Amino acid sequence: MPRIEQDALVDFVATLVDELGADSDEATKVASSLVAADARGHHSHGVRALPAKYYPEIQDDKIRPAATPTRLDTGAFSGRVEGNQGFGQLAGRHATDLAVETAAEHGIGVVGVDGVSHIGRIGEWVERAVAHDMLFAAFVCNPGSQYVAPAGSAQPRLSTNPIAFGVPTYDALPFPLVLDIATSQVAHGKVREYAASDDTVPSNWLVTDDGTSLRDAGAFIDGDDGAILPLGGFTTGHKGFGLSVMMELFASILSDGAISGADGDTWGNTAVFVVIDPTLHTTQDGVEERVETFTTYLRDTDYSAPVSPGDAASGDRGLLPGEAEHRALRDTREHGVDIVDVDAALLRELAAELDLSDAVPAALDA
């Protein structure tokens, strides 16, 4: 599993994106977003997305690499960003910045996003907003990609429809509190990770067409069988299903975008970002005191009982939202970005197809 210096990886991926038709500055932004996901341990949303997902969609004219986002219908405290079928990372950046600017002026900013491809790791937009000392919430759906079954069914009818929140911590913690989760048992990209490594998934993630647990990630990714269970799985999946329904409605209504079941093209993500000034009804000191009090209380939890935090959790106890990413980023800064062998191979293959094999960094060379 190779390690590579972060800036070198950004430069290489930007070269590939540029060759695919993006402006060089925009290519660097897309590359930076992808590498940032890998740097935080989220390989499902990292550089593998370029050869595995975005390049095929470019070939199908679903993603238009040269397209840039447009800001529309900006009101007193709201606005919209139209992605124009460009890279979702560009629209996500525009939407976050617009929402932050609006919240700085009015106390709250609500921005809908439509017409984009995969919008990337939502946690990046959380981090971007909280870096400006703002609260953040995101409601996201992908009505063109049905992977998730409603509770009580094995038929894929919904996307993984993520929800995300962020809280600035000022000096109370060395990292912001960032929650970015699917409303399904697992993100589709995480199943891809298991498939790429030929690993079996936990028994409560996927369901077969006949209603039994599916462990073969490759069979699911290849489209032969199954669906992802809603958050809560076989036991409380009605809760994840309810959240997913609300994510899709909030995202599609507030972006004026597509929704599952509608006629016509429902490709791509729709989303709404809500940014709030945390000092609307308190002070910065008030926010910091609450964060410090609450996180100290949580860290004093007794973990002596042999209770698993979950099959996909990091470590043997509950981490604060954003803590695992903070640790991974600290390791990246010291040792470089950890790239999975399969992902390095995919990047090499794409570089060869674009006649850019000479641009492959030595750290990624086979």
Side-chain angles (χ1 to χ4, degrees):
M1 190 176 293
R3 290 268 192 170
I4 180 171
E5 196 272 328
Q6 189 166 350
D7 288 344
L9 184 57
V10 169
D11 289 344
F12 170 54
V13 175
T15 298
L16 298 178
V17 177
D18 184 282
E19 183 65 22
L20 289 170
D23 173 83
S24 59
D25 288 343
E26 306 302 297
T28 298
K29 292 174 185 175
V30 173
S32 296
S33 289
L34 294 173
V35 174
D38 284 302
R40 288 159 175 78
H42 291 288
H43 302 299
S44 58
H45 290 65
V47 296
R48 78 166 51 150
L50 183 61
K53 179 173 176 62
Y54 301 163
Y55 182 51
E57 291 192 348
I58 289 170
Q59 291 178 306
D60 291 341
D61 197 33
K62 290 182 176 179
I63 295 177
R64 296 174 181 172
T68 56
T70 305
R71 293 185 178 186
L72 303 169
D73 302 335
T74 301
F77 60 89
S78 64
R80 290 176 56 229
V81 170
E82 166 61 46
N84 298 316
Q85 288 187 245
F87 286 107
Q89 287 81 1
L90 303 179
R93 182 182 294 239
H94 270 264
T96 305
D97 292 350
L98 176 57
V100 167
E101 292 165 14
T102 306
E105 182 176 357
H106 298 285
I108 185 169
V110 180
V111 176
V113 186
D114 187 29
V116 299
S117 66
H118 180 242
I119 204 167
R121 186 178 72 93
I122 310 303
E124 178 178 4
W125 317 128
V126 183
E127 292 161 358
R128 193 172 181 87
V130 298
H132 291 278
D133 297 331
M134 294 289 183
L135 297 166
F136 182 95
F139 311 98
V140 185
C141 74
N142 186 354
S145 300
Q146 282 75 39
Y147 304 121
V148 183
S153 174
Q155 182 184 12
R157 300 290 280 174
L158 297 163
S159 187
T160 54
N161 293 355
I163 184 171
F165 295 99
V167 176
T169 59
Y170 302 104
D171 293 326
L173 290 171
F175 56 90
L177 295 172
V178 175
L179 178 71
D180 171 14
I181 60 171
T183 53
S184 53
Q185 279 286 70
V186 63
H188 184 255
K190 296 294 184 184
V191 183
R192 281 188 177 277
E193 278 192 69
Y194 275 74
S197 303
D198 268 342
D199 291 333
T200 57
V201 301
S203 61
N204 60 347
W205 282 9
L206 306 175
V207 60
T208 66
D209 292 344
D210 62 7
T212 59
S213 180
L214 174 63
R215 306 294 302 276
D216 186 345
F220 172 74
I221 293 299
D222 291 340
D224 297 334
D225 194 13
I228 301 175
L229 289 165
L231 188 63
F234 291 115
T235 305
T236 56
H238 63 285
K239 296 184 178 182
F241 172 61
L243 281 172
S244 183
V245 169
M246 291 304 178
M247 291 310 99
E248 186 143 347
L249 286 166
F250 265 66
S252 64
I253 290 170
L254 291 172
S255 68
D256 195 29
I259 196 164
S260 297
D263 294 333
D265 187 9
T266 56
W267 167 87
N269 283 164
T270 60
V272 58
F273 294 172
V274 181
V275 173
I276 304 170
D277 181 350
T279 64
L280 275 178
H281 301 297
T282 187
T283 63
Q284 177 177 321
D285 288 342
V287 175
E288 189 172 323
E289 181 181 347
R290 287 173 173 85
V291 169
E292 186 169 11
T293 298
F294 191 40
T295 56
T296 298
Y297 166 76
L298 291 174
R299 290 193 191 283
D300 283 342
T301 299
D302 180 1
Y303 285 97
S304 61
V307 178
S308 170
D311 292 321
S314 299
D316 59 356
R317 61 185 59 194
L319 298 178
L320 293 170
E323 189 169 8
E325 291 81 0
H326 170 69
R327 293 180 179 183
L329 185 59
R330 187 172 56 193
D331 180 71
T332 291
R333 287 169 176 161
E334 184 175 354
H335 302 292
V337 183
D338 187 7
I339 296 296
V340 180
D341 291 334
V342 172
D343 295 350
L346 287 171
L347 289 174
R348 290 195 301 270
E349 290 170 11
L350 178 58
E353 189 161 346
L354 299 176
D355 199 24
L356 289 171
S357 293
D358 289 346
V360 177
L364 297 183
D365 215 348

